[in-house]
Amino acid sequence: RILAAKERLGLASDRSVDRARLRRNVGRPEDAERADEIARRAITLVRNASAILPLHPEEPLRLLHLVSSSDWLNLNVGAGGGIVGGDLAARGIAAVTRRIGPDLSPASADEIIEEAASFTHVLVSAFVRVSSSKGDADMDVSHAALLERLAARGGKVIVVSFGSPYLLAQFPGVPAFVAAYSPEETSQRAAVVVGPRSGSAKT
């Protein structure tokens, strides 16, 4: 389909870029709106045991927001709670963000388990990048083990994967799993939009 689209647009015969038209044709407001729409429509609710989702801001929510990253250099994660943390705050949802990188120690995992008991939900923003040295798109095993422990304690654990939709296989006990497919800002914003629709939902 991609090759057919390129041929339809004449890119096979004319591969040069008209620089004079760049400002008019790239980054237009309508393009940003379309990107947001595509991201919202892509959000897929894979699992929703006990109807944990959607979250309702009018309820007394208190979220422990775990930002799980496969490496510390992942620029899509952002500082603090990132886009997801910022959107939660904008909606008036109380949340405490903890960023966990690839070096999660057993002691740190125990601290998170203990801390989670004082929150209504645990929301996990999972950012996993594929790298040539790693060779797969799996979550760090220490992170997956932590999520299984949180779920085993009966916690309301929600994982949003900003990448591979197959991460759920690593922590099958987690009650809620959302696939956002991409770490881009549009996908992060879309994942926080409240309100289900047919075939998928948004947290």
Side-chain angles (χ1 to χ4, degrees):
R1 289 199 301 264
I2 292 174
L3 292 176
K6 286 183 175 181
E7 184 178 7
R8 185 173 64 253
L9 295 171
L11 299 182
S13 57
D14 184 5
R15 306 176 71 175
S16 61
V17 175
D18 184 351
R19 296 187 179 183
R21 298 175 58 190
L22 282 179
R23 291 185 180 276
R24 297 196 305 270
N25 296 338
V26 177
R28 300 173 301 177
E30 57 266 35
D31 295 333
E33 291 177 6
R34 179 61 172 161
D36 286 339
E37 179 189 358
I38 291 171
R40 288 193 298 268
R41 291 173 63 86
I43 299 296
T44 306
L45 182 61
V46 179
R47 176 181 293 170
N48 191 21
S50 301
I52 293 176
L53 296 174
L55 299 178
H56 301 283
E58 67 274 12
E59 296 179 355
L61 299 174
R62 188 164 185 263
L63 273 61
L64 175 59
H65 179 211
L66 300 179
V67 181
S68 168
S69 178
S70 59
D71 60 79
W72 290 115
L73 300 177
N74 194 334
L75 299 179
N76 295 108
V77 174
I83 292 173
V84 174
D87 277 9
L88 290 173
R91 293 171 184 275
I93 298 176
V96 173
T97 296
R98 298 280 183 262
R99 182 173 175 183
I100 53 177
D103 54 353
L104 179 66
S105 67
S108 295
D110 289 343
E111 290 176 2
I112 292 172
I113 292 291
E114 183 176 352
E115 183 180 18
S118 62
F119 291 84
T120 61
H121 299 73
V122 176
L123 172 64
V124 182
S125 295
F127 296 86
V128 180
R129 296 197 305 175
V130 179
S131 65
S132 58
S133 59
K134 186 181 176 188
D136 61 49
D138 290 344
M139 174 181 280
D140 187 276
V141 292
S142 64
H143 294 199
L146 171 63
L147 300 189
E148 277 288 275
R149 289 177 63 189
L150 288 167
R153 293 168 64 95
K156 295 181 178 180
V157 183
I158 305 158
V159 178
V160 183
S161 176
F162 294 105
S164 171
Y166 302 109
L167 294 183
L168 183 59
Q170 292 185 262
F171 36 81
V174 166
F177 183 81
V178 178
Y181 304 102
S182 167
E184 299 302 323
E185 291 186 9
T186 51
S187 295
Q188 292 187 52
R189 287 195 299 268
V192 189
V193 176
V194 179
R197 66 179 178 81
S198 178
S200 66
K202 308 175 182 75
T203 56

